[in-house]
Amino acid sequence: METLSTVRDEDFLRLDHQICFSLHAATRAFNGVYRSTLQDLGLTYPQYLVMLVLWEHGELPVKRIGELLRLDSGTLSPLLKRLESAGYVERRRSAEDERSVTARSTDAGAALREQALRVPRRIAAATGLSLDEIRDLRARLHALTAALDGATL
């Protein structure tokens, strides 16, 4: 069995040995599949993620949406603005704290949810993985993310 101590240093610098590149390549491939799948909805992948959060949680502070999606406000604000212009999202300033803004799905955004119900099945089919394999991969990716979030170098 191969261990970190038995691998030659030179082998670590091969592109095909980089987990970061494998994840990057998979992400780009996923983005391509999502791009074509979401085209009918008129959403980009990041906009779809925002809508998923709002459909699941209802009205939320924008800051919380950013936390859930791991997006900073500089990225999230333009996304919300475009979704608001499309009529899918409504943003409101908090009456208690003017600095706090909440976002929620509009009726048009809720109607879009019905159209989006087919998206996960189409994506799952595109992977060629079984449902158990998808669940296992997702669990492994969650564990990897948690480990990297906690890593100190």
Side-chain angles (χ1 to χ4, degrees):
M1 183 168 128
E2 198 172 45
T3 65
L4 285 176
S5 61
T6 61
V7 176
R8 295 178 318 145
D9 286 343
E10 297 80 36
D11 288 340
F12 278 118
L13 296 180
R14 291 178 46 113
L15 180 63
D16 63 342
H17 288 192
Q18 305 302 309
I19 189 172
C20 59
F21 183 73
S22 296
L23 288 168
H24 172 74
T27 298
R28 290 187 54 86
F30 260 114
N31 286 340
V33 172
Y34 270 103
R35 189 176 308 108
S36 64
T37 301
L38 294 172
Q39 197 168 24
D40 294 341
L41 299 177
L43 294 176
T44 64
Y45 175 68
Q47 290 170 340
Y48 174 69
L49 294 180
V50 169
M51 295 308 298
L52 286 175
V53 167
L54 295 177
W55 292 330
E56 182 177 348
H57 298 281
E59 186 169 343
L60 285 174
V62 170
K63 182 177 180 179
R64 180 66 182 139
I65 296 169
E67 290 168 354
L68 290 168
L69 295 177
R70 296 172 159 260
L71 295 174
D72 61 45
S73 63
T75 302
L76 184 56
S77 291
L79 280 173
L80 289 168
K81 188 174 187 175
R82 283 191 294 277
L83 287 167
E84 190 171 37
S85 294
Y88 298 136
V89 168
E90 177 182 79
R91 292 182 295 172
R92 287 188 270 190
R93 289 216 173 269
S94 169
E96 298 85 39
D97 182 357
E98 281 285 316
R99 297 170 296 173
S100 179
V101 176
T102 61
R104 68 174 188 86
S105 176
T106 62
D107 290 342
L112 189 65
R113 182 184 183 279
E114 294 305 311
Q115 295 176 52
L117 288 172
R118 65 176 164 44
V119 171
R121 289 184 190 278
R122 289 178 70 186
I123 299 301
T127 68
L129 300 173
S130 72
L131 192 53
D132 284 340
E133 290 171 320
I134 290 170
R135 287 181 180 135
D136 180 59
L137 177 59
R138 190 176 55 230
R140 288 172 179 261
L141 290 171
H142 282 291
L144 175 62
T145 301
L148 293 172
D149 281 347
T152 55
L153 302 177

